Amino acid sequence: MKIKMASIVPQNYLKYTKNNDVHMALACFIDEHGYEDYTRFFREKRKRDSFLILDNGVIEGNPMSFEDCVKKARSIHADEIVLPDVYKNAVDTYYKIEEAIEYYLDNHEFNHEFSLMAVPQGSDMEEWVTCATKIIDDFGQYIDTIGIPKHLIDTCKDRDARLVAISNLYEKVYDLYRWNIHLLGCWNTPLEVLVCAKAADQQIIPPIRSCDSAMPYVYARKNMKFSDGDRPDSDPIDFKKGKCNSLWLRYNNKTWDNIGNPKAEKSVFYI
């Protein structure tokens, strides 16, 4: 099963992602001044049947309230909303999700118009798995997707930490197949995703529905292809008007899409 890959880029390069099967929009930019093209793309110009996830903006340092995320999701006709989470904090994340679910249930206008993604958090692997298990036990009937944060790779000092996280969670939750799995971002190398894709294809772990990352743009910003080495930097992205080598962005976008397909005939690092 192919993982659907979302490529996160500044608004002036969104045209190169138009035909993607899945997109992730950042709530902090939707309907904001200076990001008119960003909003218009997700509302009107993306592929008609593509799946649109609205992220809550935690990683960008501008987390939006769940109520605001709902308004923005309606504005761009999003399919899924990432529930609130608190970076590496399992307890606060649990209560943020609880609060959002209560709001969701109290607001009868929703009529389940969006699917919901929960992103468990934790300061180490054990805490993350415990948080994920409790969220599924208590709110699983309202949640459609489990998001696996990229920081686990750095937190656990293990390139394959998210593969381990999914495997550990699967041992705790026997029917994990009931939920979609989404990989949030990519830490240092696209190989992180390729390993997970191959494990899912071999049925070692449950299927992974989708993954998002700014990796294609980050490499192109430094005139690099994925085959040129590990991630060149973690500098902030200018989503209003970033600059990169458009040739390498197109190349990296195509390669990124192939990474999600473990059966791709061509090498993951070459088109």
Side-chain angles (χ1 to χ4, degrees):
M1 179 179 174
K2 181 182 184 298
I3 300 176
K4 295 180 179 180
M5 310 294 281
S7 183
I8 297 178
V9 299
Q11 64 180 350
N12 49 314
Y13 290 105
L14 280 168
K15 62 184 178 182
Y16 297 126
T17 73
K18 180 178 179 180
N19 292 319
N20 285 22
D21 291 324
V22 63
H23 296 277
M24 176 172 277
L26 306 177
C28 52
F29 302 131
I30 297 298
D31 290 326
E32 297 297 325
H33 178 69
Y35 293 93
E36 289 80 9
D37 289 342
Y38 190 87
T39 303
R40 189 178 302 112
F41 174 84
F42 291 112
R43 185 183 290 147
E44 304 170 5
K45 296 187 175 182
R46 62 187 170 95
K47 187 167 68 172
R48 184 180 296 272
D49 60 347
S50 60
F51 189 83
L52 178 57
I53 304 167
L54 183 73
D55 197 13
N56 58 32
V58 167
I59 295 300
E60 288 68 38
N62 188 13
M64 310 295 293
S65 71
F66 182 63
E67 186 174 359
D68 285 341
C69 282
V70 169
K71 293 175 184 176
K72 290 171 182 280
R74 284 177 171 152
S75 173
I76 59 174
H77 312 294
D79 298 289
E80 185 166 82
I81 300 175
V82 179
L83 291 166
D85 63 304
V86 181
Y87 188 67
K88 293 190 179 184
N89 190 316
V91 174
D92 287 355
T93 293
Y94 176 89
Y95 287 118
K96 286 280 187 182
I97 290 175
E98 181 180 49
E99 184 179 78
I101 294 292
E102 288 176 354
Y103 175 84
Y104 186 87
L105 294 175
D106 289 342
N107 191 329
H108 299 296
E109 296 177 10
F110 278 114
N111 195 27
H112 300 285
E113 61 187 296
F114 311 110
S115 59
L116 300 177
M117 181 193 302
V119 183
Q121 290 287 351
S123 58
D124 56 35
M125 181 64 73
E126 182 179 2
E127 190 173 74
W128 185 89
V129 172
T130 299
C131 179
T133 304
K134 186 163 180 57
I135 286 170
I136 289 173
D137 286 345
D138 294 352
F139 310 120
Q141 61 181 310
Y142 310 114
I143 292 167
D144 304 274
T145 305
I146 304 298
I148 318 295
K150 69 177 183 178
H151 78 72
L152 286 175
I153 294 161
D154 181 60
T155 299
C156 301
K157 306 304 178 188
D158 180 358
R159 185 200 67 183
D160 299 328
R162 288 193 291 185
L163 171 61
V164 175
I166 296 169
S167 178
N168 288 347
L169 185 58
Y170 188 31
E171 291 182 1
K172 298 281 187 180
V173 182
Y174 74 94
D175 56 346
L176 189 59
Y177 283 81
R178 285 178 50 195
W179 292 272
N180 299 310
I181 294 177
H182 177 86
L183 302 179
L184 287 149
C186 194
W187 189 264
N188 195 49
T189 169
L191 287 172
E192 299 160 9
V193 179
L194 179 61
V195 169
C196 290
K198 288 187 175 295
D201 184 62
Q202 295 166 10
Q203 299 182 349
I204 296 170
I205 58 172
I208 298 172
R209 182 198 67 188
S210 49
C211 174
D212 70 272
S213 181
M215 278 286 201
Y217 172 76
V218 169
Y219 274 75
R221 185 170 60 180
K222 294 293 185 180
N223 294 304
M224 291 175 62
K225 309 182 294 296
F226 287 153
S227 54
D228 291 335
D230 286 348
R231 183 179 186 134
D233 63 59
S234 298
D235 296 340
I237 295 173
D238 179 357
F239 282 95
K240 187 173 289 186
K241 196 171 183 179
K243 294 181 180 180
C244 76
N245 183 314
S246 60
L247 169 63
W248 294 139
L249 177 60
R250 295 195 301 272
Y251 185 101
N252 290 339
N253 272 334
K254 181 63 176 177
T255 308
W256 181 239
D257 189 59
N258 282 340
I259 286 171
N261 183 6
K263 289 186 169 66
E265 294 181 2
K266 297 181 179 180
S267 168
V268 69
F269 289 118
Y270 299 92
I271 296 176

